[in-house]
């Protein structure tokens, strides 16, 4: 391990949680996380929120979470957060250096109704549990009820801020406990040169207005041009989701903190490639602006000396164009472009898979078929709502839904667990 006074990158200290519960104080002891609901209520309290409830939904339990909005992994950089989630909990200044404490095997999620939110769910037991990352974590679920006639924009703002403060507070319980493991990631500013191919990522983030927006250092990236970022900044919560559409294709804050493309490139860095950075890019609605943003993203990739770029997205068919335009623009600059898409091929999988395919690039990875249907077994208890409004049925019953409804199932950042095989003859 590097000396603290010499190492200028990010040090991730992992604290694994093996069991969870509620109690008088929030504390981590011998792998058991006890949470004080009273303390959490004070962190999310707001004039626009009438009631807030907390429940645990853990792997293997006969439970289902519905109407999931955002999900966060508990992390902190010190007492009071220490700079974590910059722009919300900490000041909006560059992060990605120093020690970050992480609670593994825990997620905090908020669930309930918001305008424009498309209903997603996660199953904690049965075959469908593995299709959402929440099926494998101990999930602290925040249910809420706004005050009558509350401004929905203020409700969403209160939920987002409270969710992040709660996540930081849970991680603070680990500050006095030894970490089970430690990882170090140097700043990519120090990795110039070398003979290996330089590979980076373009992470498209949705920017379609209220309730379908994503924040970088506390600010919407709408009306912005692409920007280079050190991947270490993602670990510290520089990107926070305020996007509640397309649950299967959503990149919640948890996924930005644990970006699978970044993880894969880090693993191979110095072996068969050189990880050369991340570009954040908005997903505009207008075609002309999509083309402009794509051209600037490719220009930035060229200036960073990238040989290959992996392009991800967020959202449905409209966002296919954002990937296609960018990998085509990169190909025109002599950079190999690889797109990660979900297919929208109909329930039988025979329809055209992409709404807007590329015209030049040919390297594409599928995360699964958005429309393929599956059956969820009945559960004993649900959180987030008694009625699953999409079907107009009780949230606990057996139901048939498209894969698109499972939270994170078609992850455009490459997390997914779906696989394919030749059809039986």
């Amino acid at each position: 391990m590097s000396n603290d006074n010499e190492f200028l990158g990010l040090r991730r200290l992992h604290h694994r949680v093996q069991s969870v519960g509620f109690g008088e104080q929030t504390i981590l002891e011998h792998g058991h996380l006890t949470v004080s609901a009273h303390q959490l209520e004070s962190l999310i309290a707001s004039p626009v929120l009438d009631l807030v409830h907390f429940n645990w939904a853990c792997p293997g339990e006969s439970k289902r979470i519905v109407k999931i909005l955002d999900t966060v992994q508990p992390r902190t950089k010190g007492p009071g957060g220490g700079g974590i989630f910059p722009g919300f909990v900490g000041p909006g200044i560059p992060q990605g250096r120093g020690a970050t404490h992480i609670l593994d095997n825990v997620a905090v999620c908020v669930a309930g109704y918001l305008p424009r939110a498309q209903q997603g769910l996660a199953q904690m037991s049965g075959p469908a549990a593995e299709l959402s990352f929440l099926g494998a974590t101990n999930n602290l679920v925040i249910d809420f009820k706004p005050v009558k006639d509350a401004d929905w924009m203020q409700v969403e703002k209160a939920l987002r801020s409270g969710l992040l403060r709660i996540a930081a507070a849970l991680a603070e319980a680990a500050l006095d406990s030894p970490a089970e493991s430690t990882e170090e990631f140097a700043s990519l500013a120090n990795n110039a040169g070398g003979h290996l191919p330089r590979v980076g990522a373009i992470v498209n983030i949705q920017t379609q207005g209220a309730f379908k927006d994503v924040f970088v250092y506390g600010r919407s990236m709408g009306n912005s041009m692409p920007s280079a970022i050190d991947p270490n900044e993602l670990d510290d919560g520089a990107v926070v989701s305020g996007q509640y559409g397309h649950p299967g294709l959503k990149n919640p804050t948890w996924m930005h903190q644990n970006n699978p493309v970044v993880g894969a490139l880090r693993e191979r860095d110095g072996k068969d490639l050189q990880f050369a950075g991340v570009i954040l890019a908005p997903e505009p609605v207008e075609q002309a602006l999509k083309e402009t943003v794509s051209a600037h993203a490719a220009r930035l990739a060229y200036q960073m000396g990238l040989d290959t770029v992996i392009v991800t997205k967020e959202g449905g068919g409209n966002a296919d164009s954002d990937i296609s335009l960018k990998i085509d623009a990169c190909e025109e600059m002599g950079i190999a472009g690889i797109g990660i898409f979900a297919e929208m091929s109909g329930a039988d999988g025979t329809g055209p898979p992409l709404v807007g395919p590329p015209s030049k690039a040919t390297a594409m990875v599928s995360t699964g078929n958005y429309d393929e249907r599956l059956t969820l077994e009945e559960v004993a208890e649900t959180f987030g709502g008694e009625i699953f409004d999409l079907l107009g049925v009780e949230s606990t019953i057996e139901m048939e839904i498209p894969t698109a409804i499972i939270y994170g199932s078609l992850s455009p950042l490459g997390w997914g667990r779906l696989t394919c095989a030749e059809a039986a003859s």
Side-chain angles (χ1 to χ4, degrees), residues 144-316:
F144 65 93
K145 178 183 177 182
V147 300
K148 185 178 179 180
D149 299 326
D151 183 317
W152 284 110
M153 292 284 288
Q154 293 303 312
V155 171
E156 189 273 342
K157 182 178 179 180
L159 292 171
R160 177 165 18 95
S161 297
L163 174 64
L164 297 173
R165 286 196 294 266
I166 287 172
L170 294 189
E172 285 185 51
L175 289 177
D176 295 326
S177 301
E180 278 78 15
S181 63
T182 302
E183 299 172 286
E184 290 185 349
F185 300 104
S187 170
L188 293 191
N190 300 324
N191 79 342
H195 64 282
L196 295 173
R198 291 175 59 81
V199 182
I202 296 177
V203 177
N204 285 316
I205 58 180
Q206 193 148 108
T207 50
Q208 295 183 4
F211 312 118
K212 288 195 174 182
D213 209 351
V214 179
F215 301 89
V216 180
Y217 282 98
R219 297 175 178 271
S220 168
M221 204 177 185
N223 300 317
S224 299
M225 286 292 107
S227 176
I229 190 172
D230 190 294
N232 292 353
E233 298 173 63
L234 298 176
D235 290 86
D236 281 345
V239 177
V240 168
S241 178
Q243 198 285 111
Y244 311 114
H246 294 287
L249 295 171
K250 174 177 164 50
N251 298 326
T253 301
W254 190 98
M255 202 63 72
H256 288 296
Q257 294 172 280
N258 297 278
N259 186 303
V261 171
V262 168
L265 292 175
R266 279 172 167 166
E267 176 64 26
R268 294 173 59 178
D269 184 39
K271 299 175 183 176
D272 57 355
L273 58 83
Q274 185 178 22
F275 186 17
V278 171
I279 297 169
L280 299 179
E283 291 179 339
V285 176
E286 301 84 1
Q287 181 66 17
L289 191 52
K290 286 180 183 288
E291 294 172 359
T292 299
V293 167
S294 297
H296 280 275
R299 181 260 308 164
L300 190 53
Y302 180 81
Q303 291 176 340
M304 292 167 62
L306 299 186
D307 298 300
T308 301
V309 64
I310 301 167
V311 185
T312 68
K313 72 164 187 171
E314 180 166 32

Side-chain angles (χ1 to χ4, degrees), residues 6 15 19 25 41 52-53 65 71 106 120 136 164 177 204 208 219 227 277 282 300 303 325 331 342 388 395 400 420:
E6 298 174 354
H15 305 264
S19 58
Q25 59 179 330
E41 289 172 358
V52 175
H53 292 109
I65 314 171
T71 305
V106 176
L164 297 173
S177 301
N204 285 316
Q208 295 183 4
R219 297 175 178 271
S227 176
L300 190 53
Q303 291 176 340
L325 288 167
E331 292 282 347
F388 190 62
S395 297
E400 183 181 277
C420 63

Side-chain angles (χ1 to χ4, degrees), residues 66 74 100 116 161 222 236 305 332 335 351 365 368 378 387 421:
V66 302
T100 298
R116 299 188 76 193
S161 297
D236 281 345
E332 291 176 353
I335 303 168
V365 178
E378 183 178 357
I387 301 297

